[in-house]
Amino acid sequence: MCIRDSLSSAHVYVRLPRGHTYETIPKEVVEECCQLTKHNSIQGVKESSVTIIYTPWSNLKKEPTMDVGQVSFHDNKKVVKCKNVSRNNTIINRLNKSKKEKEESELDLKGERENRDKQEINERKAMDIEKRKVEKENKEKEIKIEEEKSYKNIMRVENMKSNRLYDDGRSANEIEEDFF
C-alpha cells in the first residue's frame, strides 16, 4: 500500500494466507494498513486525509529509470483506491503497542518465502499423489465391474462339469434308477 499523488509514503506489504487474494482482504486489515501507510509518510501524516492505493505485488512495475521507492503498475484495473483516509489514533496506538522490531540480521524474508514455496510444492505433490491413487482405485473398480459383466469367465474349461458323471462318481442313469 502506498499513498498516491506523488507523496512519499511507506510501502506496506501484506502476506496473505493461502487461498486469499488482494480482493478478499478483510476491511479491518485494509484499514490498519492504510493507517500505517499514512502514519509513516513524511508528507501524508501532515495531510488531513489522503488516498491510499494497493495492488497485488505481481502488478507492481519497477523500471531502472524510476527513483527509489517509485513504482507503477502493469494493469491499472487491479489497483484499489481507499479514498479520504484520515488519521485514527486508536488503530495507530494499538499497532504501536503490538509492534515487534527485528534486526536486519534476524530477518530472513527470502528464506521464509522459499520455505513457504517448498511447503506449497510439497502439498501440491501430495495432492497429486492422492489424486493418482484415487484415479487408479477407480480404474481398478471399473475394470473389475467390466470383468464381472463380461462372459469371458463363464465358459472356462476348469469351471465346466460333465453331466455324465456327478460328484459322487455315479452316472445320471444310476441316480435316476435310485430315485425311483
Side-chain angles (χ1 to χ4, degrees), residues 60-74:
L60 292 176
K61 180 179 172 184
K62 180 73 175 164
E63 295 177 352
T65 58
M66 293 180 170
D67 292 334
V68 174
Q70 182 182 6
V71 294
S72 63
F73 310 104
H74 294 289

Side-chain angles (χ1 to χ4, degrees), residues 137-152:
E137 289 173 358
N138 289 341
K139 188 165 184 139
E140 288 174 357
K141 286 179 184 177
E142 288 176 12
I143 291 171
K144 186 177 179 182
I145 290 171
E146 288 297 320
E147 286 178 359
E148 289 174 356
K149 288 182 179 179
S150 74
Y151 292 102
K152 290 179 183 176

